[in-house]
Amino acid sequence: MNSRGPGDQGLHLIPFRGLRYVPELVGSLAAVTSPPYDVVVRPDGLLHLESADPHNIVRLILPQADTASARHEQAAATLNRWLAEGILAPDPEPALYVYEQRNDEILQRGVIGTLALSAPADGIVLPHEDVMADVVEDRADLMRTTEAHLEPLLLTYRSDGDATGATAVIERTIQRPPLLATTTEDGFSHRLWAITDATERSVVETDLARHQALIADGHHRWATYLRLQREHSVPGPWDFGLVLLVDTARYPLRVRSIHRLLHGLPVADAMAALTGLFRIRDIEGPLPRAMDALAGAAAEGNAFLLAGDGGFHLVDRPDEALLTRTVPADRPAAWRTLDATVLHSALLDHVWEIPDDPAHIAYIHDTAAAVEQAERHNATAVLMHPVREEVVRDLARQGVTMPRKSTSFGPKPATGLVLRSLPLG
């Protein structure tokens, strides 16, 4: 985000004693990591992670039991057992952590620390998506019970692009041997360094104090942080949340879509309801070719790709009367014309009349997985084209939130490389 004036309140990032796996006591660091909790949506994906290593972090972020309270108590018991057994151990002193992710296409570097919490109205940390109360409640109970932040949020800010301040510290730090290095099965290499020198930490903290940040990934967890802070009237560790801050002027993020899987709605029924309201065309596969067709249509207006019956169907050129009737007029034009806005306001709420809850809609990051699940269950996958980062940022600055799960920024930090125990600060 843009720099803030010297008198303005900005990001306040402080060090913490990271809780990390002891490499000698686990199969491998890669085998104990996981994507963020809301990306692990498929039961086979959860089973794969659980079987990768008996100490995989998924047992903490997505514990399995019959009730929510039992799940969270199980996570707390597992965390305490791993601490007692030395599987996880705190670093000897507080630190900020430089974190690097790299594959053949992208390089991302940022700083992990604990960030002072602030309300959206303060204009310091800007959300861009709505959240669901039941998800916040579930995450809050998990954090409350474990007394831990198990995975960092992904936040972005924008510097002027120069190699000064936090960037300079990062680039000096990566010349040293890392605390850990591993490569996960998705092909990403991960490296982590600790910044413990007081002068270096001060440079980072002073630089970040001039900026505001956009929540790229982790809206529900940020809302959870704020909820738990309100529960604790005495100042303390609940006033800070675990985050990864990335300067997208130096390390641009990749922005992808999150697709919708509509349970119980066959593709034929979905298209029949759209007749006369959208243009509908059959598109030849395979999937990458169909997604290219979606990208071309999305460049000219609202467009969606329906799948689930073995084919691909491009839906575009919505009826203007439908949009006028269904899309709220009290928001900026950039919000009213978002694909996610049109999908939720016009299609889900009015045409298909599908409630936005897990019994009716699943949100899936992986395009092929969305299609496969739709075909397996005679459902409809609504494939989306990604929103540009500048559109997200401009709306966030205006205090306008997008429909939830409108974007997927990445690469997301691997869960399990560094945790925060609140009793340790």
Side-chain angles (χ1 to χ4, degrees), residues 4 144 154 176 203 218 243 249 278 282 305 317 319 330 343 354 362 368 406:
R4 303 167 68 82
R144 193 185 296 116
L154 175 60
R176 306 198 311 261
V203 170
V243 304
F278 285 77
D282 292 342
L305 192 66
R317 298 188 182 178
D319 177 64
D330 60 346
L343 173 62
I354 297 177
S406 294

Side-chain angles (χ1 to χ4, degrees), residues 22-192:
V22 176
E24 295 78 11
L25 299 182
V26 296
S28 73
L29 289 175
V32 296
T33 65
S34 164
Y37 79 97
D38 56 341
V39 179
V40 186
V41 294
R42 296 173 55 167
D44 55 343
L46 180 63
L47 180 61
H48 173 72
L49 291 167
E50 287 181 329
S51 60
D53 188 283
H55 302 105
N56 188 282
I57 193 70
V58 77
R59 286 180 168 80
L60 301 184
I61 63 172
L62 288 173
Q64 299 301 296
D66 292 337
T67 66
S69 60
R71 290 195 299 271
H72 303 148
E73 291 290 347
Q74 179 177 297
T78 301
L79 175 59
N80 290 333
R81 184 174 71 254
W82 290 355
L83 287 169
E85 295 172 351
I87 303 298
L88 289 167
D91 282 333
E93 58 183 314
L96 298 175
Y97 296 87
V98 171
Y99 176 50
E100 176 190 273
Q101 292 168 274
R102 180 197 294 266
N103 69 3
D104 293 337
E105 300 175 353
I106 193 167
L107 169 65
Q108 177 176 289
R109 293 184 182 129
V111 178
I112 295 176
T114 56
L115 184 67
L117 304 182
S118 59
D122 296 334
I124 299 171
V125 176
L126 305 177
H128 70 268
E129 289 184 357
D130 296 327
V131 298
M132 297 186 72
D134 60 329
V135 178
V136 174
E137 171 60 31
D138 180 75
R139 290 293 105 180
D141 193 40
L142 177 64
M143 291 185 198
R144 193 185 296 116
T145 306
T146 59
E147 294 190 293
H149 292 161
L150 303 172
E151 45 189 340
L153 281 65
L154 175 60
L155 306 186
T156 74
Y157 70 100
R158 290 191 67 82
S159 71
D160 55 14
D162 293 337
T164 58
T167 297
V169 173
I170 289 172
E171 295 187 357
R172 286 194 293 270
T173 300
I174 62 169
Q175 303 304 315
R176 306 198 311 261
L179 289 176
L180 64 84
T182 190
T183 300
T184 46
E185 62 182 8
D186 59 4
F188 271 95
S189 65
H190 307 262
R191 297 196 294 171
L192 190 76

Side-chain angles (χ1 to χ4, degrees), residues 9-17 96 112-118 125 143 147-153 155 205 221-230 232 234-243 245 420-425:
Q9 183 182 13
L11 301 170
H12 179 41
L13 190 75
I14 65 170
F16 69 106
R17 289 183 68 192
L96 298 175
I112 295 176
T114 56
L115 184 67
L117 304 182
S118 59
V125 176
M143 291 185 198
E147 294 190 293
H149 292 161
L150 303 172
E151 45 189 340
L153 281 65
L155 306 186
E205 294 163 18
R221 282 167 284 162
W222 183 259
T224 300
Y225 288 167
L226 294 174
R227 174 173 176 159
L228 293 173
Q229 182 189 38
R230 291 192 295 270
H232 295 78
V234 178
W238 296 98
D239 294 321
F240 293 80
L242 183 63
V243 304
L245 278 161
R420 179 191 181 214
S421 168
L422 275 86
L424 290 174

Side-chain angles (χ1 to χ4, degrees), residues 335-359:
W335 181 89
R336 297 196 307 271
T337 56
L338 288 169
D339 287 338
T341 297
V342 171
L343 173 62
H344 284 260
S345 297
L347 296 180
L348 296 177
D349 291 351
H350 289 85
V351 177
W352 292 327
E353 296 182 340
I354 297 177
D356 188 3
D357 62 57

